[in-house]
Amino acid sequence: MTEPASGAITSVRRVGDRGLLIELAERVDAHRVAAFVRDHPCAPELTEVIPAARTVFLLGRPSALDRIGRAIPTAAWPEVDERRGKTVVVPVRYDGPDLHEVAERTGLSVREVVRRHSGTEYRVAFFGFAPGQAFFSALPDVLRVPRRPSPRVRVPSGSVAIANEFTVIYPLDSPGGWNLIGTRAGPPLWNTQAQPPNAVDVGDRVVFDEVR
């Protein structure tokens, strides 16, 4: 099945000579747009197709970008196979310093926050911000709280956090403004000594398993 793109695209603009940035409306699945691009006759002339939260970035020959750019506004997106990729189970201790505040802001008990977060199957949507940091979608609506007003100077590696429609695991010690609800209790998903260094890839499914 396909879905018309009407209203799904907010802008299509060139970035330099070899880049094209497709900006999407809220809740449009960037992976469906990327799937359309990869199926386009000009796809072999592209070197990168990078979906993110609200954008898809293309890198390739200018003529290919022009043709795809003209096709995007009236395109129809193919369905994305939700069965693709592997399933990774991540043990988590729900001991984050923001867990009680998240419960208060959502009107849920702490146990219900844990149940909702650990009872959802997520998908690796994209990578960004730091090496190896995967963004997992889609957080249940009831848990969607904004980033904290003041970011922390240091968030420990392995922290499990939520903000808006995503949940993440910080791969490194770094600054961060997300709501910390737990700590990864198993092997890291990002290990520079491993090949490949990422234990998950875009399209994989992730399940959080509560460890007490």
Side-chain angles (χ1 to χ4, degrees), residues 89-129:
V89 178
V90 180
V92 174
R93 291 188 181 89
Y94 285 93
D95 56 3
D98 300 326
L99 181 59
H100 284 80
E101 183 178 339
V102 168
E104 291 177 2
R105 295 174 72 178
T106 58
L108 303 174
S109 67
V110 168
R111 285 304 312 157
E112 186 65 10
V113 170
V114 172
R115 189 187 73 81
R116 297 290 186 99
H117 187 266
S118 61
T120 299
E121 183 179 85
Y122 300 89
R123 186 176 67 177
V124 181
F126 59 93
F127 290 84
F129 179 70

Side-chain angles (χ1 to χ4, degrees), residues 63-86:
S63 58
L65 299 178
D66 287 343
R67 287 186 61 190
I68 293 172
R70 288 194 297 269
I72 283 292
T74 56
W77 314 138
E79 293 287 353
V80 174
D81 184 1
E82 297 293 343
R83 297 169 298 176
R84 75 192 193 283
K86 60 186 179 294

Side-chain angles (χ1 to χ4, degrees), residues 122-209:
Y122 300 89
R123 186 176 67 177
V124 181
F126 59 93
F127 290 84
F129 179 70
Q133 181 156 321
F135 287 70
F136 310 125
S137 65
L139 193 69
D141 286 348
V142 70
L143 297 182
R144 296 185 181 187
V145 293
R147 292 177 176 85
R148 296 180 61 80
S150 299
R152 291 179 169 91
V153 175
R154 177 183 174 274
V155 174
S157 169
S159 296
V160 179
I162 61 174
N164 301 319
E165 71 265 45
F166 297 106
T167 187
V168 300
I169 302 173
Y170 282 78
L172 309 166
D173 291 358
S174 66
W178 289 46
N179 304 278
L180 308 182
I181 63 171
T183 307
R184 187 200 68 244
L189 300 184
W190 169 257
N191 180 2
T192 57
Q193 304 304 310
Q195 288 299 327
N198 269 325
V200 295
D201 202 353
V202 171
D204 286 349
R205 297 171 297 279
V206 173
V207 176
F208 295 108
D209 182 28

